[in-house]
Amino acid sequence: GIKSRSSGHNIFRIEFMSAKEERAIAEALGTVPGVGAVSRVSADTFRIRTQGDREVGYRIFQTAAANGWDVAQIYLESRSLENTFLSLVEGGEA
């Protein structure tokens, strides 16, 4: 449908038990279909901007697992298409 092909973007955060291979991690995640940009936000945490579908998060996780990197957690930080979700998170009243 139209929604799945929209230009909306999601921002994921992925935290590793250890991210010693920073460059390898950034490069591998950068090649995942749908990933737009990868940036390191702390020692073991990366922020990943993606285009489109939710499956990108799953592919990110699969890529990390395939490389043998221990993922502590991965979560969706923000979603451009769901403004209602963002306003709820910020405590705003509809």
Side-chain angles (χ1 to χ4, degrees):
I2 293 169
K3 201 166 218 176
S4 63
R5 291 189 174 278
S6 75
S7 59
H9 64 271
N10 296 330
I11 295 174
F12 288 92
R13 272 188 190 243
I14 184 166
E15 182 184 321
F16 296 95
M17 301 302 272
S18 172
K20 294 185 184 76
E21 305 169 73
E22 177 191 357
R23 182 163 295 181
I25 290 170
E27 284 177 6
L29 297 181
T31 65
V32 174
V35 169
V38 179
S39 57
R40 193 178 196 186
V41 291
S42 71
D44 300 322
T45 306
F46 292 77
R47 191 166 180 263
I48 305 163
R49 183 185 167 105
T50 68
Q51 292 294 125
D53 63 22
R54 289 176 305 175
E55 278 103 58
V56 179
Y58 180 61
R59 288 197 292 265
I60 290 166
F61 183 83
Q62 279 188 311
T63 299
N67 281 285
W69 299 321
D70 293 325
V71 176
Q73 60 179 341
I74 180 170
Y75 60 92
L76 189 58
E77 179 183 297
S78 70
R79 211 175 201 170
S80 67
L81 297 176
E82 297 193 8
N83 296 325
T84 52
F85 173 75
L86 290 176
S87 65
L88 284 172
V89 168
E90 290 162 6
E93 304 242 337

